[in-house]
Amino acid sequence: MQQQNSNVFAIPSWFVYTSRAFGTLEGIGLSHDPNYAIIQECFPYLAKRLLSDIKSTRAQGALRMLLYGKTNNNTNDDEEAVLDLSKVKELTNGFESYTSSTSSVESGQQQQQQQ
């Protein structure tokens, strides 16, 4: 029976390694700050991806879920969806944070190339 169902519970190795890395980083962060959460550090990047990846249906679904939450009975009926303005503000702040941090890195690289 184990051989018949071996593929049902297979976890990709990349997922295991990524989870282990995030767990390690979370542990290091928590050892210095008990309120640390790695997802808060990743949120600016995630906000950028959700707002700029318009071709991905997965990103569109994640953005809809973030902004509107789950609708009743898991339907996509727009009449039941209510926009959460606090999430919109959080998402735009994250995008702004990511944009300003990456633009400062890019301007530093340009200055080094000019020298």
Side-chain angles (χ1 to χ4, degrees):
M1 183 167 164
Q2 184 178 5
Q3 290 177 347
Q4 292 174 344
N5 297 321
S6 63
N7 291 333
V8 175
F9 299 109
I11 298 173
S13 59
W14 65 267
F15 183 79
V16 173
Y17 292 128
T18 303
S19 299
R20 187 174 181 187
F22 272 90
T24 301
L25 292 172
E26 180 89 11
I28 292 169
L30 286 171
S31 68
H32 295 286
D33 179 5
N35 296 320
Y36 179 80
I38 196 163
I39 194 70
Q40 290 175 343
E41 301 300 322
C42 296
F43 190 75
Y45 171 76
L46 294 173
K48 186 252 182 200
R49 286 292 306 260
L50 289 175
L51 291 172
S52 63
D53 196 358
I54 58 174
K55 293 182 181 179
S56 170
T57 56
R58 288 178 56 195
Q60 290 173 0
L63 180 60
R64 176 180 281 280
M65 177 68 78
L66 178 67
L67 295 178
Y68 291 96
K70 286 189 175 183
T71 57
N72 293 338
N73 299 325
N74 294 326
T75 64
N76 288 329
D77 190 3
D78 288 333
E79 293 176 13
E80 296 180 21
V82 177
L83 182 63
D84 185 348
L85 295 178
S86 66
K87 292 292 185 181
V88 172
K89 183 178 180 183
E90 190 177 336
L91 190 64
T92 55
N93 288 341
F95 184 71
E96 179 183 10
S97 171
Y98 180 83
T99 304
S100 63
S101 65
T102 57
S103 65
S104 66
V105 170
E106 289 173 358
S107 66
Q109 290 174 348
Q110 289 174 355
Q111 288 176 355
Q112 287 180 350
Q113 290 175 353
Q114 291 174 355
Q115 293 176 354

